[in-house]
Every structure is written in structure tokens, then in C-alpha cells.
Amino acid sequence: MASIPVYSEKPAGPTAFAPYLDTVANIFHPVSGPVLNTYARFHGWKESMGLVQPGTVENLTREIQQVHLANWAFDGARADVAKVVSANPAFQLTHSFSLGSSTRPPAYNFGAIFANAKTFLQGGVDGSGTVTMRANQTWAPTDITKIQAQLTNKAGQSMLQVEHDHLGPHYSFSWKSMNPGILDGTGIHIASLLHSFSPRLSLGFETVIQHPQPAILETATSYVAKLTSLPNALEALTPTVPGQPAPFYPSWTATAQLQPSGNVQATYYQKLSDKVDVALDLQTIIQPASMLGPAKREALATLGAKYDFRMATFRGQIDSAGKLGMYLEQRFTPAFAFLVAGEIDHAKNASKFGVGIMIESSTMTQEEMIAAGMLTPV
């Protein structure tokens, strides 16, 4: 059999520019070499410290908000009706009704939600014609852009907010602009940075730049700190048994924020078990004497707890001003929930009470809902 000749390409020779490139590299090497070596050693030192991704300054007290009642309490009566049209991508229509509230008149809101792996879109319109929207776009696991807007016929209440979060391996940087002026840079701008200095400790700051007019510029900076419990080594070494819940290990998070006015906010969150969370928030109120009123030196402490049952979630809260509140979400079926909220202010001799329902329906079959994870197979 005749052999097939094999031709090999000869390596390309040096180009005419190679001597010049080598000369330029040799000129800058005494400066760039030590800089690059120092950066490599510094990067290796940071990696050896076991630094973690600390999250963003905006989500510094996210666990506290999930336990306390600020985002959950309501009064009067409310009803939320949702219809799931699709699970992947997620598409949902909502109707919200509320009446009898002591702080706002009866209202109706129609909303729609669309979401997939990288995009989240939410829009709504209420009975007065006010249109709201929110859009989140994940460009990469480290970069997220968020946009919020509101259009209304009420003077001064329409707004546009643009935000971008960059999540580095050991830090996070966020920039937020509210009603930004494209040409003159007016608006309210917020820049924040949170960096991990150890596996437990993260430090950062948040600067607010108020630029309502081209001739007016004011800045205010607050400083934040976050301390967490050490990751449990047993949690990573303990194997999980299929069909059985993973073992629970307690964890806690403490945060502190020093505001430009001198006020301090400190929080503490601990997960006592896989079903019980507790959260404590302490805020100081220091106000010098002015035309608005006398000097004030006060503090407010709020303690809350959240209990997750098989078909219900209960939140309770009490503060140092004598205010006691609760919120119960009881699910009778996966598609129907009953809500009860209440608050008693002993110092002001006032109380609030609210009831509500949540109804969810879907055009999907039972098999499609089980495949999407919306139902548990029997």
C-alpha cells in the first residue's frame, strides 16, 4: 500500500516588529514586573484568607425584613387573586383588592409578571391610572441591572430609577440613580461598596449624592459592618440522605450602620431551627434642637420571630414603645390561603386589624404543575 505523505507546517518566523516589541517590553519591565508580581502575591494572599461574597449593602438587613412585619402587616380587608398561565417561562396575572384601610382608600390593582432564568418583568396599573413597572436583567452571574418606574397624573410623583449591581468574588458594588438627568447629571445618586475582610467580617459604605439642580450638590456617607457566624465544617462533611431532610446547623448575622446624622442602626438575626427565625433591630434617634422641635435622644428596639409550620407561617413582633403585632398566613390548600394581621399600640391606645385571602389558579394540568415543582406528588 502506498504511503500518504504528511506535510507539517513550519513554525512562523519572527516578524519585523518583534525586535521593537521586545525593546518596549524591556523598557517597561522594571516598572510593570514588580507591580504584576505584587498584585499576584496580594491576590494569592486574599484567596488564602477564605473571603466570601458579602452581598450588597441594600440587602444588608434582608433577613430582618423577612421576619419583622414592616413588609407584611396590613389593616382592613384585602384579596389577591392570581392566575398562573405558564411555569417556564413564568407568566402570571394578578388582581388585588383592598378596602377599609385606615391609611388609604379602597384600591384595585391589576398586575402581570414574566420571568425566566435571566429576565424578570413586572407591571401593574391601579384604579387611579397609575402605572408601575419593574425590570431586572441578569447579564452574567456577577452583573444585574434593575429598572423601576412609575407614571401618574399627580404632580411630582412620577419617577424613574436605574440600578446596577456588580458582585465580585469578595466584594459588591452598586450604583443607583433616581430621576437621573442625562445632560446635567441631576437627580439622586447612591453608590455603595461592601467588601469581605475575613470569612466572618465585611465592611463598607454608602454615599448618597443629592443633585436636584446643577448648582446644588450635597453628599452624605454612612458606614456599614456585617458579622456572620463561621460556616459549619460538619455541614459540608455530613452527607445528605435521599428522601430525608438535611441536618440543620444554627447560623446568625449581625449588622451595624452609622448614619451621617450620628444615628446608629444595629440588627441581629439568628436561625434557631429550620422552622424558627428570630430578629432584633435597634435604632437610635438623635436629633438636635431646631426650628422643627426640641432636641431628641431616643432609641427603639424591635424583636420579632417567624415560625414556619407545614401549611402556615406565623410572624410576631413587639417593640420597646409598647407596640405588639402579628401576621398569620394559613394555607388550607396550595391554591388558597387565609391572612390575618393585627397590631396593638398600648402607648397610643390604638389598634389595627386586617383579614385577607389569596387565591391562585392555573391553566396547567396537574402533571405539568408537578413537573414545574408547584405541587408535591402524592
Side-chain angles (χ1 to χ4, degrees):
M1 179 180 294
S3 60
I4 300 176
V6 178
Y7 301 94
S8 60
E9 295 183 358
K10 295 182 178 180
T15 64
F17 295 98
Y20 301 100
L21 297 177
D22 293 340
T23 302
V24 173
N26 292 331
I27 292 175
F28 288 99
H29 180 72
V31 177
S32 62
V35 173
L36 295 177
N37 292 336
T38 302
Y39 175 78
R41 289 196 298 267
F42 177 71
H43 182 72
W45 173 69
K46 286 179 61 178
E47 293 296 332
S48 65
M49 293 178 62
L51 303 183
V52 297
Q53 218 302 315
T56 62
V57 173
E58 183 179 12
N59 293 329
L60 193 68
T61 59
R62 185 174 183 178
E63 294 88 353
I64 305 295
Q65 298 172 5
Q66 292 295 321
V67 175
H68 286 182
L69 302 180
N71 297 332
W72 305 92
F74 66 96
D75 62 333
R78 56 177 285 190
D80 299 322
V81 182
K83 186 176 184 62
V84 179
V85 181
S86 172
N88 189 19
F91 183 62
Q92 178 178 297
L93 302 177
T94 60
H95 302 269
S96 300
F97 307 86
S98 64
L99 69 154
S101 173
S102 60
T103 58
R104 58 179 182 226
Y108 164 75
N109 183 277
F110 170 76
I113 298 175
F114 171 85
N116 57 23
K118 293 187 176 182
T119 304
F120 175 83
L121 302 174
Q122 182 180 11
V125 58
D126 62 15
S128 64
T130 300
V131 179
T132 58
M133 64 83 63
R134 187 175 70 173
N136 296 353
Q137 178 64 40
T138 302
W139 308 105
T142 58
D143 292 277
I144 304 175
T145 299
K146 307 174 185 178
I147 299 176
Q148 297 185 41
Q150 176 176 289
L151 298 176
T152 179
N153 54 8
K154 300 178 181 179
Q157 296 191 14
S158 296
M159 60 84 66
L160 172 66
Q161 177 178 299
V162 182
E163 179 181 357
H164 185 82
D165 295 336
H166 175 71
L167 306 177
H170 311 134
Y171 68 93
S172 65
F173 176 78
S174 302
W175 179 271
K176 182 188 301 183
S177 295
M178 290 177 280
N179 294 330
I182 305 300
L183 300 179
D184 54 9
T186 56
I188 300 177
H189 312 286
I190 302 175
S192 60
L193 174 68
L194 187 62
H195 199 291
S196 174
F197 285 84
S198 75
R200 299 180 59 189
L201 178 64
S202 301
L203 302 174
F205 69 90
E206 182 179 69
T207 299
V208 180
I209 306 171
Q210 299 190 35
H211 197 20
Q213 299 178 9
I216 300 177
L217 179 63
E218 298 178 355
T219 61
T221 301
S222 59
Y223 302 93
V224 299
K226 179 180 180 181
L227 184 66
T228 62
S229 57
L230 280 173
N232 197 313
L234 295 177
E235 187 173 359
L237 298 176
T238 303
T240 57
V241 180
Q244 296 184 7
F248 171 78
Y249 297 94
S251 60
W252 56 267
T253 301
T255 68
Q257 180 175 4
L258 176 61
Q259 301 173 358
S261 59
N263 291 318
V264 176
Q265 180 182 10
T267 66
Y268 179 81
Y269 164 84
Q270 182 166 356
K271 195 168 186 63
L272 297 179
S273 71
D274 58 344
K275 298 182 181 299
V276 181
D277 302 347
V278 295
L280 175 64
D281 177 73
L282 174 64
Q283 297 185 30
T284 62
I285 305 173
I286 303 175
Q287 178 180 319
S290 63
M291 298 177 59
L292 301 178
K296 182 184 298 185
R297 296 178 65 90
E298 300 177 355
L300 179 65
T302 305
L303 176 64
K306 180 170 77 76
Y307 300 84
D308 290 320
F309 303 97
R310 190 176 68 88
M311 294 289 288
T313 299
F314 175 81
R315 291 175 172 86
Q317 175 179 302
I318 186 172
D319 62 25
S320 58
K323 187 183 297 183
L324 179 66
M326 58 78 63
Y327 174 85
L328 174 65
E329 178 181 328
Q330 173 67 57
R331 286 196 170 272
F332 296 98
T333 68
F336 179 77
F338 180 69
L339 312 176
V340 180
E343 180 183 280
I344 300 177
D345 192 338
H346 293 281
K348 298 181 180 179
N349 195 22
S351 63
K352 298 179 181 179
F353 182 75
V355 294
I357 58 172
M358 290 194 304
I359 302 175
E360 299 178 5
S361 63
S362 175
T363 59
M364 304 168 59
T365 63
Q366 184 176 2
E367 290 76 10
E368 293 175 336
M369 296 178 69
I370 293 176
M374 300 172 61
L375 288 179
T376 303
V378 180

